[in-house]
Amino acid sequence: MDKFLALMILMSFCGSFISGQKPGLQAPYRIHTLFSVECQNYFDWQTVGFIHSFKKAQQPGPVTRLLSCTEEEKKNYKGMDLAPTLEVPSMSRHPKTGDWYPAINKPAGIVHWLKHSKDAKNVDWVVILDADMIIRGPIIPWELGAEKGRPVAAYYGYLVGCDNILAKLHTKHPELCNKVGGLLAMHMDDLQVLAPLWLSKTEEVREDRAHWATNITGDIYGQGWISEMYGYSFGAAEVGLRHKINDDLMIYPGYTPQPGVEPILLHYGLPFSVGNWSFSKLDHHEDGIVYECGRLFPEPPYPREVQSMESDPNKRRGLFLNIECINTMNEGLLLEHARHGCPKPKWSKYLSFLKSKTFAELTQPKLLTPHRLQTEVVKGKEIDEAIRPYPKIHTIFSTECTPYFDWQTVGLMHSFHLSGQPGNITRLLSCTDEDLKQYKGHDLAPTHYVPSMSRHPLTGDWYPAINKPAAVVHWLNHVNIDAEYIVILDADMILRGPITPWDFKAARGRPVSTPYEYLIGCDNELAKLHTRHPEACDKVGGVIIMHIDDLREFALLWLLKTEEVRADKAHYATNITGDIYQSGWISEMYGYSFGAAELKLRHLISSEILIYPGYVPEPGVKYRVFHYGLEFKVGNWSFDKAKWRDFDMVNKCWATFPDPPDPSTLQQTDDKLLQRDLLSIECAKTLNKALRLHHKRRNCPDPTALSNPKLDTTKDVTNSRKFDRFAGNDNIKSNPVPRNHSQESSLPKVTDGLFSTLRFWIILLWVFSGLGFMLVMLVVFSGYKGKGSSKGKSNKNRRRSYTGFLKMNGHDWQTRKSEVSL
């Protein structure tokens, strides 16, 4: 009998293996994977990548694409065979309200699948993903820890509406609201109950236009685009679903994975790069690459090249994930082209690599990383240092409602996304009520709005720099902060890499900062007047890494000491403060140092975090931050932020700063000066790239077009299926004037390249026409008929020559316009 039973088990095992179903995944453990798309080329290439990775990762169970199309779209749609598909009536245009909101198709499609799919009758567990994902290994709900009533999801920390009035308005159980999305793994019974509420709550939040603001939703566009995400979170809260939240399963390419963590999902919703190569899905919105034989996405660097790019092992792993994402999509495109009868592509090194054993080994299915476990108490340590989870980080920076801070915000946010900085970011935006009425930059960053103290409410003193500590105090008192460490930056900074407490040894009672040696007031009577512990005064600023408990205790002292030093006009002198203007402008910096001294917060001071462009770098130091607070030069080119104080770089389409020199033109004789200039060029190029991407996101018209229609660039019309995570929150920066700051106040005139050049040629044409006319009149009245005929011919030739000159320079003009568009 025992032998017979063993034989039956063995036959069952073999049968399931032959059928393609993994052992142990039969009922009651049936899994079904869902993702939703629309009838567009944009989703077709995503579908190809998704389905290929689904097969490659050996994800168990079937997959269904929920395809939302109108009848008109279906007439011309070519991609019906790209994946197992359930057609879903499109709700992009809401049938009742007429609201255009394609993201609602996700919950609507799931409701439709539950009602009309036979597969839904034979499922125990559902995995719901987005189309812009690459699966790296099997996603098995119970292995992730999912239970009935306890789904597993990825963390979406920017869903701040779970913490404020939005949740209170849209669910009876705001305390159950979880900030989750991206990956969802849940029991079928839970989905049956949740799905209708997911749809109805999405409609409800979408209609609540009064609460679309960025500071309420976290949606940087302030246009209700992430209503579907809140629909999910509020619907789950309504039915009492509490999620098991895992921040290790999914990663955005461009981010640095945690040490020892192997993500099983790549969500390429944000732009990312490797060296000089980069990829952004929005660059391929209309791309018919699926239907163009032999076409692939631009090949990324090879693994051997990546190996030499980065010495830090975790950052290097992040770069490998970036190239794996694109290589997997290109591999899927190759197979899709072959399936449709495309001719065999010509041999290339890249194609050979995609078909190689090396690539197959690099992309074999990844298994889940074991959960970090607590160890027994050993020598007073409760958790082994090697497996201690890293603390959560939140980055903040402060600005004001001015064009000057808006372009700085664009630069900082762009660099934040590329730097691998963990956690969220928040801009602390200090504005008067009057300023807010005219302000156009609400969508530039996740924002916490702060009453302006530029004009002190008690003294009437005009001092905008005080907004930095005032904003931090306001933020601490009005936001539920779940981070353990806060990183405080200035707006005029460009991030080059992550700034983390574990890298720089920050601890409770031991914040980390960068040296500000010009704060000489720490060494003289100024410190003795304004703190009881002048010996504890540290000359620091720029970048701050501080434990949240220290910041809560310290922030109000920072504000009060700033007011105190600012009021001490008797000690504004340069020889006391180091302020070259003797105007008390750096009172906020002393407010920070004196406030910290009052609490005896002694800083770990690192000179390897920050560098001012224009300074000579220390050999071998990989600075994490550019602080472009001072004028810097490369040859005859220079950049001074103060010259751009009043120019609107953000709302004027394609406005950028003058491009720095090409690195190839630099002198190679002095390596120190060469490295200095390369860093300066990198800073300027990053700012310009950030502005160009910003203008592109705002759908600025093609700069090579002759027409220049009036455009409301403050309205970001996004064609993306859903709003992707922007890991960022608010930023703080008053505007201290550091030493040696350029005092030049003249503003550069940045003109539209198209019309300024055209105006020049029109004027030149008038001048030549006038001269030609005068010459003709001179010939006529001179009486030299014979010679006059000859001169007339000469003049005719001269005109002909001018026309050719105009055409030639017209080409140059078009070339310059093309450069502006890059």
Side-chain angles (χ1 to χ4, degrees):
M1 184 65 182
D2 290 341
K3 291 181 180 179
F4 178 74
L5 181 59
L7 181 62
M8 291 297 292
I9 293 173
L10 181 61
M11 289 176 65
S12 173
F13 180 91
C14 293
S16 55
F17 182 82
I18 292 168
S19 69
Q21 183 69 39
K22 290 177 181 282
L25 299 182
Q26 301 93 339
Y29 302 113
R30 297 164 297 184
I31 304 173
H32 200 111
T33 303
L34 301 173
F35 69 107
S36 79
V37 299
E38 299 157 38
C39 288
Q40 299 174 12
N41 287 340
Y42 180 57
F43 288 106
D44 285 356
W45 62 256
Q46 292 178 38
T47 295
V48 168
F50 183 97
I51 291 296
H52 174 61
S53 70
F54 177 93
K55 296 173 182 176
K56 193 165 186 171
Q58 300 178 22
Q59 173 68 8
V63 60
T64 296
R65 172 179 64 159
L66 306 177
L67 182 65
S68 302
C69 304
T70 64
E71 291 301 321
E72 193 61 31
E73 288 172 330
K74 277 197 290 186
K75 292 177 182 177
N76 300 310
Y77 184 60
K78 298 182 286 188
M80 281 298 181
D81 64 342
L82 295 179
T85 299
L86 177 69
E87 293 181 40
V88 177
S90 175
M91 275 188 66
S92 295
R93 180 74 66 190
H94 197 282
K96 294 183 180 178
T97 67
D99 177 41
W100 175 259
Y101 182 55
I104 201 172
N105 285 314
K106 184 173 182 178
I110 289 170
V111 169
H112 188 86
W113 179 77
L114 289 170
K115 287 183 178 178
H116 301 284
S117 172
K118 293 180 180 178
D119 291 331
K121 314 301 181 202
N122 298 298
V123 176
D124 300 292
W125 295 93
V126 180
V127 175
I128 302 173
L129 303 174
D130 290 335
D132 57 346
M133 289 180 171
I134 295 295
I135 307 172
R136 306 181 71 232
I139 304 169
I140 302 172
W142 57 90
E143 289 188 3
L144 302 180
E147 306 171 57
K148 189 173 180 180
R150 295 296 306 275
V152 166
Y155 180 62
Y156 270 8
Y158 63 91
L159 295 178
V160 297
C162 277
D163 300 325
N164 58 37
I165 189 173
L166 198 68
K168 294 174 183 176
L169 286 170
H170 294 290
T171 174
K172 300 171 191 173
H173 306 290
E175 73 283 357
L176 299 181
C177 185
N178 294 143
K179 303 176 193 176
V180 294
L183 159 68
L184 301 170
M186 69 172 59
H187 196 276
M188 185 64 173
D189 293 348
D190 295 332
L191 185 61
Q192 291 277 9
V193 176
L194 168 64
L197 271 170
W198 183 358
L199 177 57
S200 63
K201 288 293 178 183
T202 298
E203 294 172 310
E204 186 180 310
V205 177
R206 179 69 182 171
E207 285 299 303
D208 184 6
R209 295 171 184 264
H211 296 92
W212 278 9
T214 301
N215 63 317
I216 294 176
T217 63
D219 177 356
I220 66 167
Y221 299 109
Q223 295 179 0
W225 193 252
I226 58 176
S227 300
E228 170 268 313
M229 298 185 187
Y230 281 114
Y232 177 87
S233 292
F234 295 158
E238 283 291 275
V239 298
L241 289 178
R242 292 306 302 266
H243 294 78
K244 294 185 178 182
I245 303 173
N246 193 314
D247 209 18
D248 293 336
L249 300 173
M250 183 183 81
I251 193 171
Y252 287 81
Y255 282 40
T256 300
Q258 298 286 7
V261 171
E262 190 70 79
I264 58 174
L265 266 182
L266 302 177
H267 191 180
Y268 55 91
L270 301 174
F272 57 96
S273 61
V274 179
N276 294 324
W277 174 93
S278 64
F279 180 84
S280 172
K281 70 171 188 175
L282 292 179
D283 290 341
H284 300 275
H285 202 279
E286 307 299 330
D287 200 329
I289 193 169
V290 172
Y291 309 105
E292 297 178 29
C293 287
R295 236 194 94 213
L296 304 176
F297 293 116
E299 65 183 71
Y302 292 92
R304 184 175 297 177
E305 297 171 302
V306 173
Q307 187 75 27
S308 62
M309 285 182 183
E310 179 59 61
S311 59
D312 183 282
N314 284 318
K315 292 180 183 176
R316 189 164 59 241
R317 282 202 308 130
L319 296 179
F320 276 119
L321 291 176
N322 294 354
I323 65 171
E324 179 183 328
C325 178
I326 296 300
N327 285 334
T328 302
M329 284 202 287
N330 277 342
E331 185 182 33
L333 286 168
L334 276 175
L335 294 172
E336 182 63 27
H337 292 161
R339 189 171 71 88
H340 277 271
C342 287
K344 187 176 180 180
K346 294 181 180 179
W347 182 92
S348 70
K349 179 182 175 183
Y350 183 57
L351 290 182
S352 179
F353 168 71
L354 291 182
K355 296 177 181 180
S356 68
K357 182 180 178 182
T358 300
F359 179 64
E361 290 175 350
L362 287 172
T363 54
Q364 62 185 352
K366 305 299 185 293
L367 300 179
L368 287 173
T369 303
H371 294 292
R372 294 189 176 104
L373 303 175
Q374 287 193 349
T375 63
E376 297 178 5
V377 177
V378 179
K379 297 181 181 179
K381 294 185 178 181
E382 294 184 0
I383 302 177
D384 185 355
E385 291 296 330
I387 58 172
R388 181 188 294 275
Y390 285 129
K392 287 187 178 179
I393 304 173
H394 198 114
T395 304
I396 58 176
F397 67 109
S398 79
T399 67
E400 300 157 34
C401 288
T402 65
Y404 181 57
F405 283 108
D406 283 356
W407 64 255
Q408 294 178 35
T409 297
V410 168
L412 179 57
M413 291 303 301
H414 169 70
S415 67
F416 178 90
H417 296 316
L418 297 179
S419 68
Q421 176 70 0
N424 296 324
I425 185 169
T426 297
R427 171 179 64 164
L428 309 180
L429 184 63
S430 301
C431 303
T432 65
D433 291 339
E434 196 60 33
D435 287 337
L436 274 176
K437 292 177 184 176
Q438 309 297 326
Y439 186 61
K440 300 177 181 178
H442 298 284
D443 63 340
L444 299 180
T447 302
H448 176 74
Y449 294 85
V450 181
S452 174
M453 275 188 65
S454 295
R455 180 73 67 189
H456 197 284
L458 298 179
T459 67
D461 177 40
W462 176 258
Y463 182 53
I466 201 173
N467 284 314
K468 183 174 182 176
V472 173
V473 170
H474 192 277
W475 180 67
L476 289 170
N477 288 319
H478 290 82
V479 174
N480 292 324
I481 302 163
D482 62 354
E484 188 175 345
Y485 282 90
I486 308 301
V487 176
I488 304 174
L489 304 176
D490 289 338
D492 57 344
M493 290 181 172
I494 294 294
L495 283 171
R496 305 177 71 236
I499 306 165
T500 62
W502 51 88
D503 281 340
F504 297 100
K505 312 302 181 187
R508 175 76 165 93
R510 291 289 279 175
V512 169
S513 190
T514 55
Y516 269 12
E517 291 298 332
Y518 62 93
L519 295 180
I520 59 176
C522 276
D523 300 328
N524 59 38
E525 61 189 278
L526 197 67
K528 295 173 183 177
L529 286 169
H530 294 290
T531 173
R532 293 170 297 173
H533 307 290
E535 75 285 352
C537 184
D538 292 326
K539 294 184 275 188
V540 294
V543 175
I544 309 292
I545 309 172
M546 186 176 287
H547 195 280
I548 185 66
D549 294 342
D550 292 334
L551 188 61
R552 291 188 190 282
E553 189 177 358
F554 159 72
L556 188 56
L557 268 172
W558 182 5
L559 176 58
L560 295 175
K561 288 295 178 182
T562 298
E563 294 174 313
E564 185 181 311
V565 177
R566 179 70 180 169
D568 184 8
K569 298 188 178 184
H571 295 91
Y572 275 8
T574 301
N575 64 321
I576 295 176
T577 64
D579 179 358
I580 62 172
Y581 297 105
Q582 304 184 58
S583 62
W585 192 253
I586 59 176
S587 299
E588 171 270 314
M589 299 184 187
Y590 280 114
Y592 178 90
S593 292
F594 295 160
E598 282 293 277
L599 297 176
K600 292 189 176 180
L601 282 176
R602 298 311 304 267
H603 294 75
L604 294 168
I605 304 175
S606 173
S607 60
E608 298 188 354
I609 298 176
L610 177 149
I611 189 171
Y612 286 88
Y615 280 33
V616 175
E618 288 294 324
V621 175
K622 292 190 175 181
Y623 296 98
R624 310 296 175 92
V625 173
F626 287 135
H627 190 182
Y628 54 90
L630 306 175
E631 181 180 19
F632 57 98
K633 301 178 179 180
V634 179
N636 295 325
W637 174 93
S638 66
F639 181 82
D640 182 354
K641 70 170 187 174
K643 292 182 179 181
W644 303 87
R645 181 174 293 278
D646 296 324
F647 193 81
D648 192 348
M649 306 294 294
V650 169
N651 296 310
K652 182 178 178 63
C653 274
W654 305 116
T656 57
F657 302 111
D659 285 322
D662 190 280
S664 64
T665 65
L666 299 179
Q667 294 289 337
Q668 308 287 326
T669 53
D670 190 323
D671 186 64
K672 288 185 177 180
L673 298 184
L674 174 64
Q675 295 307 316
R676 176 199 66 186
D677 291 347
L678 287 174
L679 290 178
S680 296
I681 290 170
E682 179 188 335
C683 180
K685 288 180 70 174
T686 303
L687 275 172
N688 273 343
K689 184 172 183 181
L691 285 167
R692 290 184 181 110
L693 289 173
H694 165 78
H695 295 311
K696 187 173 184 178
R697 283 196 299 269
R698 287 209 168 167
N699 290 334
C700 281
D702 185 346
T704 61
L706 288 176
S707 61
N708 189 20
K710 218 169 185 179
L711 181 70
D712 179 11
T713 60
T714 64
K715 183 177 181 182
D716 192 317
V717 183
T718 180
N719 294 316
S720 168
R721 158 70 177 73
K722 72 185 276 293
F723 171 87
D724 286 298
R725 177 177 180 180
F726 280 77
N729 280 358
D730 312 357
N731 66 347
I732 57 182
K733 167 68 182 150
S734 38
N735 185 28
V737 181
R739 70 194 189 291
N740 300 328
H741 192 291
S742 170
Q743 300 183 42
E744 188 174 350
S745 60
S746 62
L747 299 176
K749 293 181 180 179
V750 179
T751 56
D752 186 296
L754 171 61
F755 290 104
S756 64
T757 309
L758 187 59
R759 189 184 300 115
F760 170 79
W761 288 117
I762 291 173
I763 293 171
L764 196 62
L765 179 61
W766 287 346
V767 171
F768 271 89
S769 298
L771 290 173
F773 178 75
M774 291 174 64
L775 186 61
V776 170
M777 292 297 100
L778 184 63
V779 169
V780 170
F781 287 105
S782 67
Y784 296 110
K785 293 181 180 180
K787 291 184 179 180
S789 172
S790 174
K791 286 184 179 180
K793 186 176 180 182
S794 174
N795 184 61
K796 194 173 183 180
N797 290 337
R798 187 181 281 175
R799 288 188 185 180
R800 201 176 291 124
S801 174
Y802 170 73
T803 306
F805 179 66
L806 179 62
K807 286 180 180 178
M808 177 187 70
N809 285 272
H811 173 72
D812 292 342
W813 165 62
Q814 290 287 352
T815 303
R816 282 197 294 273
K817 286 201 311 170
S818 299
E819 290 170 352
V820 171
S821 70
L822 294 178

